Amino acid sequence: MTEFPMMVPMTQAEFWDKMKSVVENVVEAKLTTAPSSNSTLIPEKALLKASEVCTIFQISKPTLYEWLKQNKIASFKIQSRRYFSRQDIEAIIRQDNKISNL
């Protein structure tokens, strides 16, 4: 690590100790308030839009449509819009959790 001049009233070691403490506190706070289940990330409605499903799985829309082509996920259209069943998404998450726990 290179030395650099600091314009704060503390030594470099004190500064990094303080930064470490702040980061640890933020991480601990996030972990204690984090949802215990992925199902809390799913909006409380029966039908989900493609953008909501992408957010849940943290994927792009092209990936979602590739999953549709591969029959990894089911959807249906109402007029020109594509929707996904909340129950189907929860089932995929539960199945994925079972696989990852093996």
Side-chain angles (χ1 to χ4, degrees), residues 1 7 16 39 41 43 45 54 62 70 74 77 93 96 98:
M1 185 184 302
M7 303 298 285
W16 288 115
S39 64
L41 300 176
K45 52 187 178 181
C54 289
Q70 297 171 359
K77 288 182 102 173
I93 292 170
D96 187 48
K98 287 179 186 177

Side-chain angles (χ1 to χ4, degrees), residues 12-67:
Q12 188 175 3
E14 292 172 329
F15 172 79
W16 288 115
D17 287 341
K18 182 70 172 171
M19 290 300 294
K20 180 181 174 189
S21 173
V22 168
V23 170
E24 287 173 348
N25 290 340
V26 169
V27 169
E28 184 178 331
K30 291 288 184 183
L31 289 176
T32 58
T33 61
S36 61
S37 161
N38 284 343
S39 64
T40 59
L41 300 176
I42 301 175
E44 292 292 330
K45 52 187 178 181
L47 300 178
L48 303 175
K49 296 177 185 175
S51 60
E52 294 169 325
V53 174
C54 289
T55 301
I56 291 166
F57 289 113
Q58 297 180 350
I59 58 172
S60 65
K61 279 194 176 181
T63 300
L64 179 64
Y65 287 106
E66 187 62 33
W67 287 5

